[in-house]
């Protein structure tokens, strides 16, 4: 079985500050990990994904995430928040030998203050 | 390439009615998945179709059904609507539904049951 936990349903940062959104996963086999972003009244859009190549993954809009097997984590970061980053962020996991239907976390709402 | 399209975007129904939602995947994609998104439960997987066959099913009652046509377009149907069915219904397509693939989401259909 696979699962995802996103710590913090809401994260608030000031514009220009570091963004850190936390994701921990559980999987009995090597996972594939995804971060998606959802803007209001829109569907989800892929930010980045880890597929067992480099552990540091760079995505769109300046976001990156690091896969840490020892910590079963895949936290999303961005050095400097922009107002346009305000959205809902979802971490998801699939795994070989398990379901290829992604299991999503509950989401983290990122609030960016001017 | 055109993205995933969903129709209608908004829908209001009353309890006991039935509803059909439509999804057109990205051209060439053969896997179509459906999700229900609510504030309380987050993103929940409904079912996945591949080449006109239901390949995976989530834990939803039989009132929720779907189908996929030969052109990969998909429909989902909810019969005997309940108030709790009010949600954003998201459709996602993928090339073949392999474990490492990105899912491409449509904008969703927002269903309100009165």
């Amino acid at each position: 079985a696979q699962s995802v936990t996103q710590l913090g349903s809401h994260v608030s940062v000031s514009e220009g500050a570091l963004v850190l959104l936390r994701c921990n996963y559980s999987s009995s086999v090597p996972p594939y990990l995804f971060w998606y972003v959802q803007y209001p009244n829109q569907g989800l859009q892929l930010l980045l994904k880890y597929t067992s190549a480099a552990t540091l993954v760079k995505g769109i809009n300046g976001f990156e995430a690091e896969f840490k097997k020892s910590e079963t984590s895949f936290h999303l970061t961005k050095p400097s928040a922009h107002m346009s980053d305000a959205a809902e962020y979802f971490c998801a996991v699939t795994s070989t030998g398990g379901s290829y239907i992604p299991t999503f976390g509950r989401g983290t709402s990122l609030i960016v203050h001017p | 390439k055109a993205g995933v399209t969903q129709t209608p975007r908004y829908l209001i129904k009353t309890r006991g009615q039935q509803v059909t939602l439509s999804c057109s995947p990205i051209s060439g994609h053969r896997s179509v998945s459906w999700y229900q998104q609510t504030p309380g439960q987050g993103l929940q997987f409904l079912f996945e179709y591949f080449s006109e066959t239901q390949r995976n099913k989530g834990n939803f009652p039989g009132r929720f059904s779907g189908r996929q046509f030969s052109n990969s377009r998909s429909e989902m149907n909810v019969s005997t609507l309940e108030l709790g069915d009010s949600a954003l219904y998201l459709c996602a397509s993928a090339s073949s539904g392999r474990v490492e693939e990105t899912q491409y989401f449509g904008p969703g259909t927002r269903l309100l049951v009165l």
Side-chain angles (χ1 to χ4, degrees), chain B residues 21 28 37 57 79 87 100 113:
Chain B
L21 311 182
Q37 186 179 24
K57 189 177 189 305
S79 62
E100 72 275 19
V113 182

Side-chain angles (χ1 to χ4, degrees), chain A residues 32 34 36 38 41-46 49 51 88 90 94-96 98-102 104-106, chain B residues 9 33 35 37 39-43 45 48 55-56 88 90 97-103 105-107:
Chain A
Y32 294 94
F34 306 77
Y36 287 87
Q38 184 179 32
N41 297 316
Q42 294 186 29
L44 280 68
Q45 176 187 3
L46 181 73
K49 65 180 179 181
T51 57
E88 190 86 13
F90 294 90
T94 62
S95 55
T96 54
S99 171
Y100 49 82
I101 300 299
F104 286 87
R106 293 300 299 269
Chain B
R9 291 293 310 278
S33 299
Y35 296 84
Q37 186 179 24
Q41 299 298 319
L43 268 163
F45 170 71
E48 184 232 1
R55 191 162 62 172
N56 286 280
L88 180 67
L90 292 166
R98 292 190 307 273
V99 65
E100 72 275 19
E101 280 190 335
T102 300
Q103 292 207 318
F105 285 81

Side-chain angles (χ1 to χ4, degrees), chain A residues 6-90:
Chain A
Q6 291 185 239
L7 291 175
S9 58
H10 294 83
V11 169
S12 181
V13 300
S14 298
E15 191 173 20
L18 171 72
V19 175
L20 171 61
L21 304 182
R22 300 178 186 274
C23 172
N24 287 89
Y25 69 90
S26 172
S27 175
S28 57
V29 294
Y32 294 94
L33 295 155
F34 306 77
W35 274 101
Y36 287 87
V37 61
Q38 184 179 32
Y39 298 102
N41 297 316
Q42 294 186 29
L44 280 68
Q45 176 187 3
L46 181 73
L47 275 176
L48 49 82
K49 65 180 179 181
Y50 167 75
T51 57
S52 74
T55 57
L56 181 63
V57 182
K58 295 187 182 299
I60 62 172
N61 301 339
F63 284 95
E64 63 180 38
E66 186 172 8
F67 172 69
K68 293 187 177 180
K69 183 179 178 181
S70 61
E71 299 177 10
T72 61
S73 69
F74 190 57
H75 301 330
L76 182 70
T77 60
K78 181 174 180 178
S80 177
H82 192 273
M83 296 295 290
S84 60
D85 295 327
E88 190 86 13
Y89 291 80
F90 294 90

